[in-house]
């Protein structure tokens, strides 16, 4: 379904219909006009700014067994690691000296007391070692009191991807083992958003048996949840996972790429004040994924600060982009590539989402 006529200016309503979104996601509309409208909206509300978020993958240990993930618990070929705290701080300090003011600590999902207390100690030390920075966490589902403790320790933002807003699809992509619960994941996301965190989520795009109507529902879910940040990207197969054996009909890489770009553009038009990342997965599935993501409405890029000896073992999916250059070289390359799209990297700025600032003016909850 194309909800726009060819001679119309692309001007979506604030909350488009499911059918309209599905039609655009399926290629039923003019892609370039969609991307141009999203970029114009970005420049109007936020400007040509691109914010950097330094990523440190602190551990690849995980208690979950998601069918699509290369770090799943039963993947015996993974060389498991946990980076010592002093090495994490060294990586963060290096990024800080280069002008980064937003950092993401990411790990597999674990509930161990030692892991959480280590993260809390890191956050407390960061307040003096990298002052003025925003600390983003992506550690998975945790009890509410643990989220509170991490926020009190210095956490500012939390990214908890739902992967899909559909309970049916969630059940298909996860084992029925009592550990994976779509309802519990949504409850965790709702708690984060209501308790003062800058809250981010995201979905996998191009999963087998996932329709454009499902993706439309994902956009409407994120809009309804009133989130502040989005990190979403294309599904990429990972060797050693059961996903390819369980499902047929995985969309071609080009289809996954276009659907991801359309999702970014539609998210920007529907939620203009949020931060949207041009993810590593998008850059992995197509060489110009960074540039195309930015020109579709993304405004955040995540240089990987994980020490190189650990980085290759955070193997979420096949072909994951591995940048072995030092951080200075990485940032110089990102500055050049962003500049080629008419965008400018902003250093020494944590890049708080306008949406979050406005949400706090109205109160934590809607």
């Amino acid at each position: 379904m194309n909800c726009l006529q060819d001679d119309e200016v692309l001007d979506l309503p604030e909350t488009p219909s499911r059918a309209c979104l599905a039609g655009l996601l399926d290629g039923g509309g003019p892609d370039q006009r969609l991307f141009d409208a999203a970029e114009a909206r970005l420049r109007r509300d936020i400007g040509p700014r691109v914010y950097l978020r330094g990523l440190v993958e602190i551990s690849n240990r995980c208690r979950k067994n998601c069918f699509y993930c290369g770090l799943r618990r039963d993947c015996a070929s993974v060389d498991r690691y946990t980076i010592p705290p002093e090495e994490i701080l060294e990586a963060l300090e290096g990024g800080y000296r280069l002008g980064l003011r937003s950092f993401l600590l990411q790990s597999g999902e674990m509930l161990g007391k030692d892991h959480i207390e280590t993260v809390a100690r890191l956050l407390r030390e960061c307040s003096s070692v990298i002052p003025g920075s925003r600390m983003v966490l992506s550690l998975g589902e945790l009890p509410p009191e643990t989220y509170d403790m991490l926020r009190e320790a210095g956490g500012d933002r939390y990214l908890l991807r739902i992967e899909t807003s559909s309970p049916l699809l969630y059940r298909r992509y996860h084992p029925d083992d009592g550990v994976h619960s779509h309802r519990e994941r949504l409850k965790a996301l709702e708690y984060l958003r209501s308790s003062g965190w800058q809250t981010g989520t995201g979905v996998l795009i191009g999963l087998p048996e996932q329709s454009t109507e499902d993706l439309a529902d994902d956009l409407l879910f994120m809009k309804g949840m009133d989130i502040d940040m989005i990190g979403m990207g294309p599904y990429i197969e990972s060797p050693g996972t059961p996903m390819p054996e369980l499902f047929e009909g995985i969309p071609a890489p080009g289809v996954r790429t276009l659907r991801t770009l359309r999702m970014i553009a539609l998210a920007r038009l529907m939620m203009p004040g949020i931060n949207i990342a041009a993810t590593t997965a998008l850059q992995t599935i197509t060489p110009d994924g960074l540039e195309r993501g930015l020109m579709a409405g993304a405004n955040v890029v995540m240089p990987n600060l994980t020490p190189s000896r650990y980085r290759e073992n955070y193997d979420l999916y096949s072909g994951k982009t591995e940048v072995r250059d030092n951080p200075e070289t990485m940032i110089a390359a990102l500055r050049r590539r962003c500049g080629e799209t008419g965008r400018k990297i902003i250093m020494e700025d944590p890049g708080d989402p306008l949406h979050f600032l406005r949400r706090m003016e109205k109160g934590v909850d809607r």
Side-chain angles (χ1 to χ4, degrees):
M1 174 183 178
N2 182 0
C3 55
L4 302 166
Q5 300 299 320
D6 289 341
D7 58 351
E8 284 185 307
V9 174
L10 183 55
D11 187 17
L12 291 180
E14 183 177 340
T15 305
S17 70
R18 183 182 194 239
C20 174
L21 291 171
L24 291 170
L25 288 165
D26 207 28
D31 276 336
Q32 195 54 55
R33 201 138 50 89
L34 175 64
F35 302 150
D36 289 346
E39 188 179 20
R41 186 62 190 262
L42 171 70
R43 287 176 177 270
R44 187 178 82 190
D45 293 342
I46 298 175
R49 303 173 182 86
V50 176
Y51 297 110
L52 297 185
R53 184 185 298 156
L55 168 64
V56 183
E57 297 155 331
I58 62 176
S59 179
N60 66 353
R61 303 179 190 279
C62 192
R63 70 187 182 96
K64 294 290 190 74
N65 223 10
C66 310
F67 293 148
Y68 49 79
C69 182
L71 298 185
R72 65 192 308 264
R73 185 185 66 230
D74 287 356
C75 193
S77 62
V78 175
D79 186 7
R80 304 290 175 173
Y81 73 82
T82 298
I83 304 178
E86 58 272 17
E87 292 188 51
I88 298 172
L89 283 172
E90 184 180 351
L92 295 173
E93 287 182 273
Y96 186 84
R97 287 193 296 270
L98 292 172
L100 274 65
R101 295 296 182 268
S102 176
F103 299 91
L104 169 60
L105 301 181
Q106 181 172 303
S107 75
E109 299 205 20
M110 295 182 283
L111 292 176
K113 182 179 179 182
D114 290 346
H115 175 62
I116 298 302
E117 289 186 346
T118 296
V119 174
R121 286 197 302 272
L122 281 167
L123 291 173
R124 286 190 285 268
E125 290 191 52
C126 285
S127 63
S128 58
V129 173
I130 52 172
S133 298
R134 296 289 183 271
M135 299 305 299
V136 193
L137 302 180
S138 183
L139 312 176
E141 298 165 41
L142 300 170
E145 59 271 19
T146 303
Y147 288 136
D148 293 343
M149 184 265 284
L150 291 171
R151 188 158 177 260
E152 290 171 6
D156 301 286
R157 304 168 176 168
Y158 205 102
L159 176 63
L160 181 65
R161 287 176 35 145
I162 55 166
E163 309 302 3
T164 175
S165 62
S166 165
L168 175 61
L169 290 181
Y170 190 89
R171 286 195 296 272
R172 288 178 184 169
Y173 305 141
H174 298 84
D176 183 14
D177 57 3
V179 177
H180 304 78
S181 166
H182 191 255
R183 183 170 177 270
E184 291 303 311
R185 201 161 189 86
L186 295 190
K187 282 174 59 179
L189 184 63
E190 289 167 355
Y191 183 81
L192 286 163
R193 195 208 150 278
S194 66
S195 59
W197 288 88
Q198 292 186 27
T199 306
T201 192
V203 296
L204 278 170
I205 300 162
L207 289 160
E209 301 185 11
Q210 178 190 57
S211 68
T212 50
E213 286 80 10
D214 292 321
L215 292 172
D217 289 338
D218 291 339
L219 287 168
L220 293 169
F221 168 82
M222 290 186 282
K223 168 78 174 177
M225 182 61 71
D226 203 24
I227 52 89
D228 307 303
M229 310 177 292
I230 289 180
M232 59 185 172
Y235 164 64
I236 301 176
E237 302 89 329
S238 179
T241 63
M243 197 79 157
E245 299 174 6
L246 293 172
F247 300 96
E248 296 180 353
I250 297 172
V255 173
R256 283 176 265 169
T257 298
L258 274 175
R259 286 185 181 172
T260 300
L261 295 171
R262 292 166 186 156
M263 286 284 286
I264 290 173
L266 289 166
R268 175 57 64 200
L269 291 168
M270 293 170 64
M271 299 166 270
I274 67 173
N275 281 350
I276 304 176
T279 60
T280 303
L282 180 58
Q283 298 173 55
T284 298
I285 204 168
T286 182
D288 59 352
L290 171 63
E291 290 83 355
R292 294 174 74 181
L294 292 175
M295 290 189 289
N299 68 321
V300 172
V301 181
M302 296 182 288
N304 195 330
L305 306 181
T306 307
S308 59
R309 63 181 171 277
Y310 302 107
R311 196 179 306 164
E312 64 183 13
N313 291 317
Y314 205 87
D315 196 12
L316 292 169
Y317 44 77
S318 179
K320 181 171 176 279
T321 300
E322 292 182 19
V323 182
R324 297 188 179 278
D325 294 336
N326 58 45
E328 293 94 330
T329 305
M330 266 191 283
I331 291 173
L334 289 173
R335 195 187 302 274
R336 173 183 56 77
R337 294 176 67 182
C338 291
E340 289 173 353
T341 69
R343 305 286 290 282
K344 182 180 179 181
I345 288 178
I346 305 300
M347 306 300 287
E348 300 187 4
D349 187 328
D352 289 319
L354 289 177
H355 178 273
F356 175 76
L357 300 176
R358 292 166 183 164
R359 185 160 69 85
M360 290 300 101
E361 288 176 0
K362 295 184 292 185
V364 172
D365 249 331
R366 273 174 287 189

